């Protein structure tokens, strides 16, 4: 082994070896239980960020753990075409060339998209390999692979034939920048400061009027009613009457609807069915006409009268100005409200009525709610079930059509001659109704999440009944962040139940967001993002992985500190150095059979502690308590194994003639091998490199057997060593606090009634002498005079003062301190004896001086007592010499 661990030299070499030996490839084996994880497919536009690094480290830990436990493990990787994000990137790149989509046409644009996928699609996959991800790369999939595309068409047609997919005119979320619809789950709400405008709507004859409050006066041009609550006494007499819509001069009715909140604004709301989802619902209930006044690019359209062609925020200013001039703007007031933004480009969403494709959600949501309530799918932590239920129980139909070119094109065909619509798995060339060949396919593509909702089974070959599908489905764990429960988790659950008849996974393990050291979300705008690849380059993948998972708990955000990465790089070096020490002192191999009668209490202790560690780490990983398992491994390796057992082993290890020398070697090798196995899922590279340098029976840690506890437990030996460690630490701390030179080796006096410690003294005193720097250990019932006491859980340890201090040196220091204190006392006495000071100085200053004087007197007394004690010790020392 090299003197220093060098991740750069090790990691690429080992990963290449693992790939060449096909360790990550899952071969169906019916004698084994399968364990499957499907990767949340990163976008082909993606760059590895800390969220990816955390998510994939957790998956890798679980898959490596289960592989070592003997499961037939499949971690299925792949990427998502990410229609909106990818199309936006390509359009941006084309803009630099002075081109638009429309200029080059659909086919040429798609050629560019596939080229983009070829160039950039594999980038994040290569980055995941740098992280050490043990995916089955032979099974890597892409959401627009031929097989997955067939699955998408099959699902669309089946749902359409069951009446669960329909085309209809509904209120949708429109992104004016991306020029496409987005689903409710893709709208992100942000609090914004705005204005609430109070506008007067008069009667035709001006005999009455109502005042409405709105944040969007530009939409008033599309109002088709105003509404009041039927129970609102203020307006009951107006229900059924009409008012004139300002600026448009169109009469609109006053209607009654329970939706209206009597407490908000004036209790009267404008109804714009074409531009507000709630107004749309009211419009449907009251058969109101829809007047669209804003187009798909965010400009006022021909229905907006003189404001036509104006950008909607410009129109807002002009409308407010005109209302003021007409005396119809009653007032404006500041108002904070939630505004919907596109999750991709952050543009404010425009609600529009549009003819789109929808999935009917209620029938699909009900069984998906039931399987979670019945515990067939468990969320970890459980609190995220509430978020899931809240979403699913209030779900609206899902708008799945997108006005994009990159993605799965909707398999619907239309006849230009008879307007017949046909939904088909295969391309339609002839109209099924009139026989015309004048047929064209729907221009729209499907929402990205429509295809990724099928990911757990489409990647395994569905709709074909493949061996992979039969063996590996349903999968076991989905590891994901809490921000895509709606986007992806819910949709996979109802899709799995609908098309496979089985839930897609047993557990949904939710992790938090990786934040910066100050707790802020990492973002480009804040400039606080940290590139995982740069961290790997500097510190190695193991240090990054261990940093990301140490101390985490499911569902909670975690803070990323670079100091922790450095500490975990040091942890890797600590293990490396410990392994080098063991290897340099080893002259046995794995065939050596120890005589356990030759084990000392320290061997029995470390083997007992190893047994406990194996049981606890295994249990933690089974419960997905990854952060707890990581911390236990760190504590055991650094503290118990390296700092204590290795140090305790040295006297016998260095004595090759000792009768139990080889037994000590055996225990060192056994403990080291087992902790390497336990640590391997967390830090795969350094553990594998060490293991392959040690005597070993198995080909690689990747495919080695997970350790099993041997039921090795020795309560007495554990207690002796714990007591021993307590004593050594206490003596070391006392020496540090009193600045005792390491060269000074005092005698220690121990008072105890602990029979076990008394009986075993001949075994443990050698360790105390060596590790605590002690000359002699004396069991004594009498307390030595002038001694320091250390209270232990099993007794009291005393050390004579004269044994740990240089009396002359200490007397000189204390005498100098006494002289300084006397001067301060005299100064303070003189000041406090001055009547002018006491009478004229602020009371606070006088009180502070009195307090100083009291402290000086107290400290002086303590110093004088210490001097007297040392002088007595000096006299006793002289007397003893005489």
């Amino acid at each position: 082994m090299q003197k220093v661990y060098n991740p750069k030299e090790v990691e690429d070499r080992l990963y290449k070896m693992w790939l060449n030996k096909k360790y990550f490839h899952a071969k169906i084996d019916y004698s084994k239980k399968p364990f499957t994880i499907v990767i949340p497919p990163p976008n082909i536009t993606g760059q590895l960020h800390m969220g990816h690094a955390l998510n994939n480290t957790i998956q890798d830990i679980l898959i490596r753990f289960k592989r070592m436990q003997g499961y037939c493990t499949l971690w299925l990787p792949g990427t998502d075409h990410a229609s909106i994000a990818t199309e936006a990137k390509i359009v941006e790149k084309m803009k630099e060339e002075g081109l638009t989509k429309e200029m080059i046409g659909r086919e040429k644009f798609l050629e560019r998209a596939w080229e983009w996928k070829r160039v950039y699609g594999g980038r994040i996959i290569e980055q995941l390999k740098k992280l050490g991800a043990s995916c089955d790369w032979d099974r890597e999939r892409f959401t627009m692979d031929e097989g997955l595309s067939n699955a998408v068409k099959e699902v669309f047609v089946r749902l359409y034939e069951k009446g669960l997919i329909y085309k209809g005119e509904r209120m949708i979320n429109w992104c004016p920048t991306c020029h496409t619809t987005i689903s409710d789950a893709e709208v992100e709400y942000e609090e914004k400061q705005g204005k609430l405008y109070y506008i007067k709507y008069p009667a035709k004859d001006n005999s009455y009027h109502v005042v409405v409050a709105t944040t969007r006066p530009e939409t008033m041009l599309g109002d088709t009613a105003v509404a009041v609550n039927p129970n609102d006494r203020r307006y009951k007499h107006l229900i059924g009457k009409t008012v004139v819509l300002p600026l448009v001069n169109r009469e609109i009715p006053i209607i009654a609807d329970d939706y209206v909140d009597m407490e908000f604004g004036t209790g009267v709301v404008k109804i714009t069915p074409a531009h507000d989802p709630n107004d749309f619902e009211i419009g449907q209930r009251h058969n109101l006409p829809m007047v669209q006044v804003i187009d798909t690019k965010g400009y006022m359209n021909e229905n907006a009268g003189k404001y036509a062609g104006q950008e909607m925020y410009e129109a807002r200013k002009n409308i407010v100005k005109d209302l003021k001039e007409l005396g119809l703007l009653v007032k404006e007031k500041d108002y904070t409200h939630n505004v919907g933004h596109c999750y991709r480009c952050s543009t404010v969403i425009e609600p529009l009525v549009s003819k789109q494709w929808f999935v009917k959600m209620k029938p699909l949501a009900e069984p998906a709610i039931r399987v979670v309530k019945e515990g067939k799918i468990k969320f970890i932590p459980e609190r995220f079930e509430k978020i899931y239920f809240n979403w699913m129980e209030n779900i609206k139909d899902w708008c799945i059509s997108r006005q994009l070119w990159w993605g799965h094109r909707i398999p619907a065909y239309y006849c230009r001659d008879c307007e017949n619509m046909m939904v088909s798995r295969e391309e339609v060339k002839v109209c099924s109704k009139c026989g015309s060949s004048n047929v064209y396919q729907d221009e729209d593509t499907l929402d990205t999440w429509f295809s990724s909702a099928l990911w757990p089974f489409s990647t395994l070959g569905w709709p074909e009944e493949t061996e992979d599908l039969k063996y590996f489905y349903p999968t076991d764990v989905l590891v994901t962040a809490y921000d895509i429960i709606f986007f992806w988790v819910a949709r996979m659950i109802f899709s799995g139940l609908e098309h496979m008849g089985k839930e897609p996974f047993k557990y949904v393990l939710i992790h938090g967001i990786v934040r910066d050291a100050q707790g802020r979300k990492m973002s480009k705008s804040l400039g606080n993002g940290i590139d995982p690849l740069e961290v790997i380059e500097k510190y190695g993948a193991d240090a990054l992985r261990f940093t990301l998972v140490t101390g985490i708990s499911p569902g909670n955000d975690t803070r990323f500190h670079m100091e922790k990465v450095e500490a975990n790089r040091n942890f890797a070096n600590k293990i490396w150095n410990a392994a080098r020490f063991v290897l340099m002192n080893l002259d046995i191999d794995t065939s050596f059979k120890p005589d356990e009668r030759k084990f000392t209490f320290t061997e029995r202790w470390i083997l007992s502690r190893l047994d406990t560690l194996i049981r606890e780490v295994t249990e933690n990983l089974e419960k997905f308590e990854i952060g707890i398992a990581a911390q236990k491994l760190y504590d055991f390796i650094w503290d118990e194994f390296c700092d204590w057992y290795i140090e305790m082993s040295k006297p016998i290890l260095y004595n090759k003639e000792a009768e139990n020398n080889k037994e000590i070697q055996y225990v060192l090798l056994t403990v080291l091998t087992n902790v390497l196995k336990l640590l391997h899922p967390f830090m795969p590279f350094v553990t594998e490199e060490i293991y392959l340098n040690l005597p070993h029976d198995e080909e690689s840690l990747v495919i080695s057997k997970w350790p099993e506890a041997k039921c090795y437990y020795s309560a007495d030996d554990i207690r002796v060593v714990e007591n021993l460690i307590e004593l050594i630490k206490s003596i070391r701390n006392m020496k540090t606090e009193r600045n005792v030179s390491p060269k000074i080796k005092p005698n220690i006096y121990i008072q105890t009634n602990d029979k076990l410690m008394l009986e075993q003294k001949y075994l443990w005193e050698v360790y105390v002498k060596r590790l605590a720097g002690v000359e002699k250990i004396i069991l004594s019932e009498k307390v030595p005079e002038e001694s320091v006491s250390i209270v232990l859980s099993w007794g009291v340890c005393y050390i004579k003062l004269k044994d740990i201090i240089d009396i002359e040196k200490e007397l000189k220091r204390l005498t100098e301190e006494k002289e300084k204190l006397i001067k301060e006392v005299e100064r303070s006495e003189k000041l406090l004896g001055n009547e002018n000071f006491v009478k004229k100085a602020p009371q606070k200053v006088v009180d502070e001086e009195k307090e100083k004087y009291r402290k000086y007197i107290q400290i002086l007394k303590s110093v004088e007592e210490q001097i007297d004690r040392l002088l007595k010790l000096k006299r006793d020392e002289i007397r003893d010499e005489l």
Side-chain angles (χ1 to χ4, degrees), residues 495-546:
S495 297
L497 292 169
E498 172 67 20
H499 304 294
M500 292 295 297
K502 290 179 186 175
E503 51 281 353
F505 28 71
K506 301 180 186 80
Y507 299 97
V508 180
L509 176 58
I510 304 287
H511 61 77
I513 292 168
V514 183
R515 298 183 178 273
D516 71 6
Q518 296 174 49
R520 300 172 302 172
K521 195 171 181 178
M522 292 185 181
S523 69
K524 285 180 184 174
S525 58
L526 288 173
N528 62 344
I530 299 168
D531 185 348
L533 293 174
E534 288 180 12
V535 179
I536 291 170
E537 178 67 20
K538 188 172 181 182
Y539 297 105
D542 289 328
L544 173 63
R545 288 167 62 112
F546 207 71

Side-chain angles (χ1 to χ4, degrees), residues 549-554 624-632 682:
V549 298
T550 307
I552 63 163
S553 56
F624 307 109
E625 296 167 345
I626 289 167
I628 296 172
Q631 192 60 54
K632 284 178 180 173
F682 301 84

Side-chain angles (χ1 to χ4, degrees), residues 19 26 89 342 384 403 455 486 557 653 719 794 806 856:
L19 290 180
K89 291 272 187 187
C342 173
F384 285 98
Q403 288 63 54
W455 188 251
F486 319 129
D557 292 351
L653 202 60
R719 189 157 71 81
W794 52 280
D806 183 323
Y856 292 145

Side-chain angles (χ1 to χ4, degrees), residues 26 53 397 405 444 463 489 515 525 604 653 823 866 881:
D397 286 358
W405 288 352
D444 289 351
V489 179
R515 298 183 178 273
S525 58
R604 291 190 293 272
L653 202 60
K823 283 178 184 175
Q866 288 181 62
E881 285 174 8

Side-chain angles (χ1 to χ4, degrees), residues 472-615:
F472 290 112
Y473 189 91
T475 70
D476 290 85
V477 189
L478 175 75
V479 181
T480 187
Y482 52 68
D483 54 353
I484 57 170
I485 290 174
F486 319 129
F487 287 121
W488 194 42
V489 179
R491 288 166 179 166
M492 281 192 288
I493 293 173
F494 68 67
S495 297
L497 292 169
E498 172 67 20
H499 304 294
M500 292 295 297
K502 290 179 186 175
E503 51 281 353
F505 28 71
K506 301 180 186 80
Y507 299 97
V508 180
L509 176 58
I510 304 287
H511 61 77
I513 292 168
V514 183
R515 298 183 178 273
D516 71 6
Q518 296 174 49
R520 300 172 302 172
K521 195 171 181 178
M522 292 185 181
S523 69
K524 285 180 184 174
S525 58
L526 288 173
N528 62 344
I530 299 168
D531 185 348
L533 293 174
E534 288 180 12
V535 179
I536 291 170
E537 178 67 20
K538 188 172 181 182
Y539 297 105
D542 289 328
L544 173 63
R545 288 167 62 112
F546 207 71
T547 300
L548 287 168
V549 298
T550 307
I552 63 163
S553 56
N556 293 328
D557 292 351
T558 181
R559 294 189 182 194
F560 187 85
H561 298 267
M562 200 56 81
E563 296 80 7
K564 283 172 77 175
V565 185
E566 289 181 35
N568 287 317
R569 187 266 316 272
N570 296 341
F571 177 51
N573 289 337
K574 181 87 170 177
I575 303 161
W576 183 264
N577 292 334
R580 285 187 74 247
F581 169 80
V582 172
L583 197 57
M584 285 189 294
N585 289 281
L586 216 56
D587 54 28
I588 62 165
D589 58 27
T590 54
S591 64
F592 176 75
K593 298 287 182 274
D595 180 351
E596 293 192 11
R597 292 171 301 177
K598 293 181 180 178
F599 287 169
T600 71
F601 69 101
T602 52
E603 280 68 66
R604 291 190 293 272
W605 164 72
I606 197 67
L607 290 171
S608 298
R609 293 297 300 130
L610 175 66
D611 248 22
T612 302
L613 181 73
I614 292 169
R615 273 195 301 272

Side-chain angles (χ1 to χ4, degrees), residues 166-395:
Y166 65 93
K167 192 172 189 181
E169 199 165 47
R170 298 283 304 273
M171 176 63 65
I172 51 93
N173 305 297
W174 180 265
C175 176
T177 300
C178 297
H179 300 139
T180 181
T181 58
I182 62 172
S183 70
D184 292 340
E186 293 165 318
V187 179
E188 292 181 344
Y189 289 91
E190 283 179 42
E191 271 200 353
K192 292 280 185 185
Q193 289 296 321
K195 296 277 186 188
L196 197 56
Y197 301 91
Y198 288 77
I199 304 165
K200 188 189 287 185
Y201 284 46
K204 191 175 183 180
D205 61 1
N206 282 316
S207 60
Y208 59 87
H209 70 267
V210 293
V211 176
V212 303
T214 180
T215 57
R216 302 188 67 204
E218 68 277 11
T219 63
M220 67 181 289
L221 307 176
D223 288 358
T224 54
V226 293
V228 297
N229 191 293
N231 300 313
D232 196 330
R233 290 178 183 176
R234 294 171 294 176
Y235 304 115
K236 272 193 173 184
H237 66 290
L238 296 178
I239 296 168
K241 294 186 178 182
T242 64
V243 288
V244 175
L245 179 60
L247 307 177
V248 178
N249 297 321
R250 184 173 71 241
E251 268 193 277
I252 57 175
I254 300 171
I255 62 171
D257 197 281
D258 290 326
Y259 168 77
V260 180
D261 181 358
M262 291 187 283
E263 304 299 318
F264 177 76
T266 61
V268 184
V269 295
K270 56 192 276 311
I271 304 300
T272 322
H275 291 285
D276 182 278
N278 297 311
D279 291 4
F280 176 80
E281 299 293 337
I282 294 170
Q284 295 285 297
R285 287 197 289 274
H286 296 271
N287 294 314
L288 296 175
M290 286 188 286
V291 179
Q292 188 172 325
V293 293
I294 301 170
D295 70 15
T296 57
K297 293 182 180 177
Y299 285 81
M300 308 307 288
N301 68 11
E302 67 281 359
N303 294 327
K306 73 173 190 175
Y307 308 101
Q310 294 180 13
E311 192 273 330
M312 61 182 176
Y313 293 109
E314 179 194 356
R316 180 181 297 180
K317 285 179 190 173
N318 293 331
I319 287 167
V320 169
K321 177 173 166 286
D322 291 347
L323 288 169
K324 277 181 185 173
E325 288 174 2
L326 291 167
L328 296 174
L329 185 69
V330 178
K331 64 176 178 178
E332 300 175 27
K333 77 174 190 183
D334 291 334
Y335 183 63
T336 304
H337 60 138
N338 277 327
V339 178
H341 293 73
C342 173
Y343 82 115
R344 279 294 172 198
C345 68
S346 299
T347 302
V348 174
I349 286 303
E350 182 58 43
L352 293 176
V353 173
S354 177
K355 198 166 191 181
Q356 302 288 341
W357 288 93
F358 293 87
V359 175
K360 203 177 283 183
M361 285 309 308
K362 287 286 181 193
L364 294 169
E366 285 166 7
I369 291 166
R370 191 167 57 248
V371 291
V372 176
K373 284 190 172 174
E374 290 172 355
K376 290 176 181 173
I377 295 176
K378 293 186 191 309
F379 278 77
I380 299 163
E382 196 177 328
R383 69 177 186 269
F384 285 98
E385 288 180 6
K386 289 179 184 174
I387 297 169
Y388 173 79
F389 290 140
N390 185 50
W391 175 261
M392 294 295 275
E393 285 163 1
N394 297 288
I395 201 161

Side-chain angles (χ1 to χ4, degrees), residues 820-833:
K820 285 178 191 173
L821 286 165
I822 289 169
K823 283 178 184 175
E824 284 298 325
V825 168
E826 288 171 351
R827 181 199 60 77
S828 195
E829 281 176 344
K830 189 176 178 182
L831 193 58
L832 292 170

